[in-house]
């Protein structure tokens, strides 16, 4: 697999009704302080989009957003530009960046309602329909690499991988790990 544009969504556990307005100044602060250690450019509010990317932190190489797709809030990381390394390294990097941003958001003392993320579910997608169409063949090609990477993330627990979407959607796999620890602990395993 030669795809490099990996996306990862980490789902929010609480609060149940997430208000994006208090996160806007947090994202602006992240730009000023280089919190995510990459070039971040702007913050855009798409809160009017139903079950979509509500708050977008735009970067040069990748974007981060608070996303409500499937009616479920989460932090969504998306690599826009070719990432270095092979496919496994790109997946590892994307998961690491998503966990790192989630950990930073959990630690934001400026938020009146602290945000907590679930470590037991991830959505991993490939934003390249040409190299990774949403087909059974792509599942067969990608699954062994995902299992190799995920064995570092979830070494102590069993997890399942489920293909998601239709052939018209981006290729995606849902990771379910019932006994997963916090995103901070998961980040430590792949940092």
């Amino acid at each position: 697999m030669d795809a490099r544009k990996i996306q990862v969504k980490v789902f929010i556990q609480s609060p149940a009704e997430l208000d994006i307005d208090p996160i806007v100044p947090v994202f602006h602060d992240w730009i000023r302080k280089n919190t995510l250690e990459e070039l971040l450019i702007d913050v855009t509010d798409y809160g009017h989009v139903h079950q979509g990317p509500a708050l977008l932190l735009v970067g040069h190489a990748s974007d981060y957003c608070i996303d409500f797709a499937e009616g479920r809030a989460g932090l969504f990381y998306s690599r826009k530009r070719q990432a270095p390394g092979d496919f496994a390294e790109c997946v590892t990097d994307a998961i690491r960046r998503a966990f790192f941003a989630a950990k930073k958001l959990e630690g934001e003392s400026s938020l009146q309602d602290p945000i907590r993320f679930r470590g037991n579910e991830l959505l991993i997608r490939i934003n390249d329909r040409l190299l990774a169409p949403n087909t059974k063949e792509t599942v067969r090609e990608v699954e062994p690499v995902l299992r190799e990477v995920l064995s570092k993330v979830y070494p102590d627990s069993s997890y399942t991988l489920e293909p998601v979407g239709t052939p018209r959607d981006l290729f995606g796999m849902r990771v379910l790990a019932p006994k997963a620890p916090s995103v901070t602990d998961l980040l430590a395993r792949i940092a």
Side-chain angles (χ1 to χ4, degrees), residues 13-155:
Q13 175 178 323
S14 64
E17 296 295 323
L18 182 66
D19 179 11
I20 64 168
D21 290 340
I23 303 172
V24 172
V26 170
F27 279 3
H28 280 293
D29 197 43
W30 286 7
I31 294 171
R32 280 190 298 279
K33 294 180 177 176
N34 194 27
T35 299
L36 299 182
E37 302 170 0
E38 64 179 284
L39 180 59
L40 300 172
I41 300 164
D42 200 5
V43 178
T44 305
D45 184 341
Y46 290 106
H48 61 281
V49 178
H50 179 66
Q51 292 192 3
L55 184 63
L56 180 64
L57 176 56
V58 180
H60 174 72
S62 53
D63 296 333
Y64 297 81
C65 76
I66 301 299
D67 177 72
F68 289 92
E70 303 176 322
R72 300 170 62 209
L75 178 75
F76 189 79
Y77 167 82
S78 180
R79 172 64 83 161
K80 296 189 295 193
R81 303 208 188 312
Q82 293 277 343
D86 65 13
F87 180 64
E89 291 169 317
C90 291
V91 171
T92 301
D93 181 66
I95 293 171
R96 184 187 60 76
R97 289 177 186 275
F99 284 159
F100 184 72
K103 176 185 173 184
K104 291 294 184 185
L105 204 50
E106 281 187 341
E108 279 296 333
S109 60
S110 64
L111 296 175
Q112 185 175 352
D113 293 324
I115 296 175
R116 295 291 170 250
F117 288 88
R118 297 172 45 208
N120 65 342
E121 181 178 6
L122 298 174
L123 176 63
I124 300 173
R125 296 191 332 192
I126 302 173
N127 190 9
D128 193 325
R129 293 175 197 272
L130 180 61
L131 293 176
N134 200 353
T135 63
K136 291 178 183 178
E137 292 79 24
T138 306
V139 171
R140 282 192 292 274
E141 187 175 353
V142 169
E143 187 172 356
V145 178
L146 289 182
R147 288 199 180 279
E148 173 190 328
V149 171
L150 292 169
S151 69
K152 298 171 193 152
V153 179
Y154 301 109

Side-chain angles (χ1 to χ4, degrees), residues 164-191:
V164 295
T166 68
R168 299 182 75 156
D169 297 320
L170 291 177
F171 174 83
M173 301 280 287
R174 186 173 314 279
V175 182
L176 297 169
K179 297 180 181 178
S182 69
V183 293
T184 299
D185 292 338
L186 293 171
L187 175 63
R189 294 175 179 179
I190 59 168

